[in-house]
Amino acid sequence: MANPWTKATLQDAKNFDKQKQISPYKERMAIKNEILWGTLQKYLPQDKSGTVLDLGGGTGIWSMRLAKEGYSLILTDISEAVLEWAKEKIDNEKLSEKVIVEPADICDLSKYKDNSFSFVMAIGDILSYCSDAEKGLKEIKRVLKPQGLLIGDVENRYKIFDGRRATSWEDAIRILNGGVAYWPDKESPAPIHQFTPTEIEDLLSAHKFQTIEMYPSHLMWGLFNEEFLQQAINSKGGLQEIVNIEKKMSKDKHLLGCGFEIQFIVRNEK
Ligand SMILES: C[S@@+](CC[C@H](N)C(=O)[O-])C[C@H]1O[C@@H](n2cnc3c(N)ncnc32)[C@H](O)[C@@H]1O
C-alpha cells in the first residue's frame, strides 16, 4: 500500500497551504500553531549552532519559522512535490542558507548518522501516517543525541474515528477496536494509525523517551459545538479567547483523549 502523500502533485502541495486560509480550518490551525509555537519556544535549544531535523516537514511552515529565528534545519518529507513547493517558498524568503531540503521517509533515516540532532520535530501526525510508527520512533531515537528532544503528535483515536475518518458505524467500531483508519482511496487505501493516549504513552516509554509534556491539540474543536466556536471567531478578540481557554483546559490530564490529536514533547533517555 503506497503512502498516498507520495502521489501528491505540485498543485496538491500548493492546495495544502491554500486550504489553511479557509475557515474554520484556518482558525483551527492558527490556534494549534499558536499553542505549539509557545511549546517550541520553551524547548528549542538556546544554542542555535546545531541543526534541527524537521521530519514530514511538509510545505515548510515550521522550518521557515525556525529559520527566521536563526536556526539551521534539515526539512525532510516523503513527498517530492511537497518538498518542491517548500523549496520554492524557502528560496523566495531567502532562507535557503538556513534550510536544507531533502526527501526522507521517517521509517528510514539511514542518510543521518547516529546521535546527530539535539532537536527533532515530527509535527502533523507523521507517526500516524507512516507505514510503521514503531520503526519511525526507533529511527528518531537513533539519530537523536542522548537527552535530545522530540516534539511530535499523533491522531487521537477517541476523537477522529467519529466523522472524519470513519465511513459508517461499523467502520467507527472497527477503528475504535483496531486503531487503523484508511485514507479514502479505493484503489490503494493506505492505513492511518490512530493512537489512544495510553498507546502513545506506552510506545514512547517502551523506547525510553521520557515525557516532558503531553496534551490534546484542537481541543476546543473536540469539545465545543462548531456553531459556538464560529460565534467566538466572529466576535472581537474571540480567537484569542479560544486560545486562552484551550491553553488552560489542555493542562487537565483528564482531557488528553478529547482533542483531535495528542501532542507530545519527550526526551531521549539513551
Ligand atoms: C499534515 S502534513 C504536516 C506538515 C508539517 N509538518 C506541518 O506541520 O505543517 C503531513 C506531512 O507528512 C508527510 N509524510 C507522510 N508520511 C511520511 C513518512 N512516512 N515520512 C516522512 N514524511 C511523511 C506528508 O507528505 C506531509 O507533508
Side-chain angles (χ1 to χ4, degrees):
M1 278 175 284
N3 183 320
W5 295 91
T6 58
K7 295 186 197 162
T9 63
L10 187 57
Q11 191 53 51
D12 292 333
K14 292 180 181 177
N15 289 343
F16 294 148
D17 280 350
K18 274 197 198 134
Q19 71 195 19
K20 290 184 192 142
Q21 302 307 320
I22 301 168
S23 288
Y25 190 55
K26 176 180 163 187
E27 287 81 13
R28 250 182 63 193
M29 289 313 295
I31 291 164
K32 172 182 172 170
N33 290 346
E34 180 168 341
I35 294 172
L36 195 48
W37 181 234
T39 309
L40 277 164
Q41 283 175 311
K42 259 198 273 175
Y43 297 108
L44 276 164
Q46 302 276 313
D47 175 7
K48 297 183 179 173
S49 63
T51 301
V52 171
L53 181 62
D54 185 5
L55 295 167
T59 62
I61 156 172
W62 293 112
S63 279
M64 287 169 65
R65 192 149 185 185
L66 267 58
K68 286 179 187 163
E69 297 288 321
Y71 290 93
S72 300
L73 297 107
I74 301 178
L75 163 60
T76 71
D77 201 278
I78 202 168
S79 163
E80 301 269 355
V82 161
L83 288 180
E84 189 182 337
W85 175 229
K87 180 89 184 79
E88 197 177 318
K89 286 165 55 186
I90 287 163
D91 290 347
N92 287 342
E93 295 268 348
K94 306 211 174 348
L95 293 170
S96 41
E97 282 188 9
K98 298 301 269 176
V99 189
I100 296 168
V101 178
E102 55 193 20
D105 183 332
I106 198 171
C107 296
D108 175 10
L109 301 177
S110 50
K111 59 172 67 158
Y112 309 115
K113 293 195 182 116
D114 296 4
N115 306 327
S116 296
F117 305 97
S118 300
F119 201 87
V120 172
M121 303 190 285
I123 298 171
D125 308 319
I126 326 302
L127 286 167
S128 282
Y129 302 153
C130 72
S131 57
D132 183 342
E134 185 160 26
K135 205 167 167 189
L137 204 57
K138 281 183 184 163
E139 276 294 77
I140 293 171
K141 188 167 181 81
R142 185 184 62 72
V143 301
L144 256 180
K145 291 181 181 169
Q147 306 303 311
L149 299 182
L150 162 66
I151 185 160
D153 44 23
V154 289
E155 286 201 0
N156 170 25
R157 193 187 311 175
Y158 292 151
K159 203 59 213 162
I160 295 211
F161 78 86
D162 54 8
R164 209 174 123 202
R165 298 288 183 225
T167 53
S168 63
W169 166 249
E170 284 77 18
D171 200 28
I173 297 306
R174 188 193 56 71
I175 296 170
L176 182 61
N177 290 329
V180 181
Y182 289 95
W183 293 104
D185 178 345
K186 286 204 170 67
E187 281 157 34
S188 60
I192 305 171
H193 193 122
Q194 303 202 303
F195 290 79
T196 66
T198 306
E199 192 185 1
I200 187 66
E201 275 172 358
D202 288 352
L203 183 66
L204 288 163
S205 77
H207 292 279
K208 297 204 165 32
F209 283 101
Q210 185 211 344
T211 300
I212 301 172
E213 279 192 36
M214 191 173 277
Y215 61 88
S217 64
H218 301 295
L219 180 60
M220 291 299 101
W221 265 265
L223 293 178
F224 277 73
N225 174 310
E226 181 104 34
E227 206 184 305
F228 293 172
L229 290 167
Q230 202 54 53
Q231 284 172 15
I233 289 164
N234 294 340
S235 68
K236 192 162 173 276
L239 199 61
Q240 192 55 48
E241 190 172 26
I242 300 176
V243 170
N244 294 343
I245 297 170
E246 174 146 343
K247 273 189 189 164
K248 192 172 162 201
M249 289 181 77
S250 63
K251 290 198 177 83
D252 182 343
K253 65 181 191 315
H254 297 290
L255 295 180
L256 186 55
C258 298
F260 287 8
E261 294 165 334
I262 302 164
Q263 193 80 52
F264 55 82
I265 175 123
V266 291
R267 180 175 285 116
N268 180 21
E269 297 189 314
K270 281 225 168 136

